[in-house]
Amino acid sequence: YYNQALPLSRAVGDRQGEATTLTGIGAVYSDLGEKQQALDYYNQALPIFQAIGDREGEAQTLTAIGSVYSNLGEKQQALEYYNQALPIFQAIGDREGEAQTLTAIGSVYSNLGEKQQALDYFNQALPIFQSVGDRGGEAATLTGISGVYNTLGEKQQALDYLYQALPLFQAVGSRGREAATLNNIGSVYSDLGEKQQALDYFNQALPLLRAVGDRGGEGATLNNIGYLYDTLGKKQQALDYYNQALPLSRAVENRSMEATTLNNIGAVYSDLGEQQQALDYYNQALPLSRAVENRSMEATTLSNLASLERDRGNFEKAVSQIQASIEIVEDLRSKIGSQELRTSYFATVQGFYKLYIDLLMQLHRQNPNQGYDAQALHISERARARSLLELLAEANADIRSGVDPELLERERNLLQQINALEHRRHQLASSQYSQSEMDEIEAQSQGLLAQLDRLEAQIRINSPRYADLKYPEPLTLSEMQQQVLDEETVLLQYSLGEERSYVWAVTKDSMTSYELPSAIFIHALARQFYEQLQSPSAPSRELALQLSQLVLGPVAAQLGNKRLLVVGDGALQYVPFAALPVPNAPETNDNLLGYTPLLVQHEIVTLSSASTVAISRRTLGNRSPGNKMLAVLADPVFEENDPRFKEVTAHHHGADGLQDRSLERSLLGIGEGTSLSRLPYTREEAEAILALVPEGQGLQALDFEAERELMSRADLADYQIVHLATHGLLNEESPELSGLVLSLFEESGEPENGFLRLHDIFNLNLPAELVVLSACETGLGEEVGGEGLVGLTRGFMYAGARRVVVSLWKVNDVATSRLMAKFYQKMLEEQLNPVVALRAAQLEMLQSPTWHSPYFWAAFTVQGDWR
């Protein structure tokens, strides 16, 4: 029909009709996968629209040409056309066209690996689609946002956006996009390990895609089913699906999907031991990934090639390939403005760093004198705590200075909304509620947290000081020895890998490295030991000795009686090394444990990386300590029936008691059933340690005075030590909702916000030499690959603390009070360094018949600079 219309338009001189028909023909060819034909027709139409001044037709054609180039993998050309179309749509007030182009630009940036740029464009498009009522466009944008979160490792957020998009596509009757969304949901479930759910979604998507003739979508779904079977170990089934997917991707000229499928086929052949066939497929995938600028797939294929060459014994070639892969990863990471997304992306690529380490250590085994083990140590350092390292650099730069006040006000408003929502959550939890109500609050909470993360990324990008900020590089071996270590200190750094693990023992003038068993074996023992430590009974001597021999036995000769800096990995981050037996030591009757704990011979400091110590010294080296000694906040008021209220009125205990009970939990981010009973021994603890401080040098904040507002007071910065003895609450799924609980009531009985969240802690000005978190689980957090336990410690270090004392499990109130009194007596009266003082206090507890079990004393550890 178009081909009948075209000569008629030309015959009567209807240039508008001619151009419109040409774009229609181009659109058909594009849908058929005939991309070059489509371009030919679009390029005939474009100058006609320009000549007759049809700006809308011009903009739509520019967008269509951009779309073809995008599908062909010509990303830069696609961007050029989209960026020509966008200002035209804006000039003529075509908001729908503007939003469609913004989404298209976001998709290109997403495919280029520029995830932060992609999110920025998607988030500009979304409210426009919503305001003009374009539900299909809204759904397409939600799908784009989901793709970004999925790639960056935020799987649950990816699912949330897909579940918003699906009913919109169904409502507008877009069966092809509905099918693509079902495929995407299946892919996320596959990554989450929910294989049957994934298969269910793929099997819903496939017939729909075939029905609408979407061969590209069909190929993508077949590829995903193949990948699912691959992860289940069903290699032949995986190959069958990949080999169905490959010709479909080629037929529609989707070179990016073609590269993905070729890479996946290569991985199957590699697993089957068919190395030459694997190599052939990888070598087809790599140039395709480069041609379409799919940098994530390029990095993955290079890593797969490196793994293959390692298995063939070609270590040097493999090192070259994994180096190229890591360079891409580092570049992509640097372009993500959001710290949270940067962290989650980094977690998804930890396998590349583990492979690099393993390759260098294999080369070290072949050539022990070439320094490969030192290079491997540097890569281990590059693979860990990078976000913390950058946060510490940002803290010193004061990146909020000079930022648009409107952005900072929006940040404050979002924090207030999050607090109000948590308040509502606990009002519901204390009354009758439906699961749907709770689910709605959870969805809103996650949405607000996502908005906050995007806003903080925007604050960074718009900060003049952030633009000038140069992030520190992770340390090399020689820099560790020069900037971190002294003659009395040994660094023990661990890297746990799937096949082999490693430990490096580094002193001021030497380094030795050792191979350890696989991560699975070490994790199993470490987790079991950690579980046993949380009971007043002493842990199994046999288990403790087995774990110690495994992780400390190889380095025993290097330890002497020196201070140990422990940079753990995986489950080792939960293990207090102080409670492990001295390796190779004979059985002892000197204490009730039946073995000599490492604490007896060593001071022990926990680090997330050696580099964080170096930057702390660099940025805080010339800082003068506060002119006062110690501020203590302890024994807050949590409950409405607390006897410390001077008077109790009907308002607080009458018919509205249930409502007030919910207000008691004001703004808490905690689960149902969490007890916030009084901690009476924290008062004894506070009074004991304040008695050691000269008059005028201490701040005592007990009862109602142990309030959240005190933490923001300027005069708190005058104190060298800040001690917080209260409840600590851990939210592993959303670490930003973790925190400390201070008084929840004013003396009058009015409820107040007493929850000091991680976000609040980041915004404190607390240049303390030492912060002591005398509370439960304050050293824990979400375990994030490459970052370790993301929790309160980094918040206080960002706020200015040089070192932080934290706990690794739910501590005993009485034992903690005793331990802290001893700790401060050693530190304040005997003038011992905090690390030395904590060890001395723990040794006294170890010798006590009552408190000898590590449960009572080993939870607390020092993190940060020990000097």
Side-chain angles (χ1 to χ4, degrees), residues 512-530:
T512 51
S513 57
Y514 303 90
E515 186 175 309
L516 303 177
S518 72
I520 293 175
F521 190 57
I522 295 174
H523 282 167
L525 288 175
R527 288 286 186 185
Q528 194 177 349
F529 183 62
Y530 177 70

Side-chain angles (χ1 to χ4, degrees), residues 96 122 302 511 524 607 611 629 633 667:
E96 194 166 3
F122 289 142
L302 283 165
M511 182 198 67
L607 299 176
S611 300
M629 183 67 69
L633 287 80
L667 315 179

Side-chain angles (χ1 to χ4, degrees), residues 1-20:
Y1 282 95
Y2 282 139
N3 284 323
Q4 292 176 58
L6 187 59
L8 293 174
S9 297
R10 286 171 172 163
V12 298
D14 180 0
R15 304 207 71 202
Q16 176 88 43
E18 178 185 357
T20 301

Side-chain angles (χ1 to χ4, degrees), residues 404-423:
D404 184 349
E406 183 184 344
L407 290 177
L408 299 178
E409 182 60 30
R410 282 169 56 195
E411 181 185 36
R412 280 190 289 273
N413 287 338
L414 273 175
L415 287 169
Q416 288 173 1
Q417 290 180 59
I418 291 167
N419 284 340
L421 199 60
E422 292 302 315
H423 181 174

Side-chain angles (χ1 to χ4, degrees), residues 432-464:
Q432 295 295 319
Y433 67 90
S434 67
Q435 189 57 47
S436 62
E437 287 178 305
M438 272 298 186
D439 290 344
E440 183 181 351
I441 285 180
E442 177 62 23
Q444 291 176 12
S445 177
Q446 291 304 318
L448 288 172
L449 290 171
Q451 286 184 52
L452 183 63
D453 185 56
R454 291 196 298 270
L455 181 60
E456 289 178 340
Q458 198 175 347
I459 288 170
R460 281 191 178 86
I461 291 167
N462 287 278
S463 165

Side-chain angles (χ1 to χ4, degrees), residues 423 427 430 655-664:
H423 181 174
Q427 282 184 315
S430 62
D656 293 330
L658 186 61
Q659 175 69 8
D660 288 339
R661 184 76 177 171
S662 72
L663 289 173
E664 170 198 328

Side-chain angles (χ1 to χ4, degrees), residues 484-714:
V484 176
L485 299 173
D486 55 43
E487 300 293 344
E488 300 305 317
T489 305
V490 178
L491 169 69
L492 297 180
Q493 184 145 318
Y494 291 87
S495 176
L496 307 187
E498 286 186 13
E499 297 179 32
R500 290 169 288 273
S501 302
Y502 299 98
V503 60
W504 295 266
V506 187
T507 70
K508 183 75 174 170
D509 51 18
S510 70
M511 182 198 67
T512 51
S513 57
Y514 303 90
E515 186 175 309
L516 303 177
S518 72
I520 293 175
F521 190 57
I522 295 174
H523 282 167
L525 288 175
R527 288 286 186 185
Q528 194 177 349
F529 183 62
Y530 177 70
E531 291 298 324
Q532 290 189 9
L533 287 172
Q534 296 176 63
S535 164
S537 304
S540 159
R541 179 177 175 276
E542 291 71 25
L543 174 65
L545 288 169
Q546 188 179 3
L547 180 59
S548 175
Q549 195 56 39
L550 192 67
V551 300
L552 291 170
V555 297
Q558 279 76 45
L559 302 184
N561 290 313
K562 294 187 176 183
R563 178 186 304 109
L564 304 182
L565 311 183
V566 179
V567 179
D569 191 17
L572 290 181
Q573 296 168 108
Y574 295 87
V575 172
F577 273 58
L580 283 174
V582 172
N584 305 325
E587 188 172 345
T588 179
N589 295 317
D590 291 346
N591 62 65
L592 297 172
L593 294 180
Y595 65 81
T596 302
L598 208 60
L599 176 78
V600 173
Q601 295 185 5
H602 305 276
E603 297 168 28
I604 299 170
V605 179
T606 304
L607 299 176
S608 50
S609 80
S611 300
T612 55
V613 176
I615 189 174
S616 175
R617 288 179 179 173
R618 200 177 311 150
T619 56
L620 306 181
N622 297 322
R623 187 179 76 183
S624 299
N627 54 26
K628 294 183 180 178
M629 183 67 69
L630 173 66
V632 179
L633 287 80
D635 196 15
V637 179
F638 304 125
E639 299 174 297
E640 64 178 347
N641 59 356
D642 192 293
R644 286 171 286 182
F645 284 110
K646 289 180 179 176
E647 57 182 33
V648 180
T649 65
H651 173 70
H652 300 123
H653 285 85
D656 293 330
L658 186 61
Q659 175 69 8
D660 288 339
R661 184 76 177 171
S662 72
L663 289 173
E664 170 198 328
R665 300 294 182 98
S666 174
L667 315 179
L668 292 181
I670 60 177
E672 284 182 78
T674 302
S675 173
L676 285 177
S677 56
R678 185 177 180 183
L679 297 169
Y681 283 95
T682 63
R683 185 182 206 86
E684 179 182 310
E685 177 181 322
E687 291 171 345
I689 63 180
L690 281 165
L692 303 169
V693 178
E695 188 175 348
Q697 287 289 302
L699 170 66
Q700 175 176 288
L702 305 177
D703 308 322
F704 302 99
E705 293 178 0
E707 60 179 354
R708 179 177 178 272
E709 289 303 311
L710 176 58
M711 294 300 296
S712 300
R713 268 179 26 194

Side-chain angles (χ1 to χ4, degrees), residues 76 372 737:
Q76 296 304 327
Y372 288 114
L737 297 180

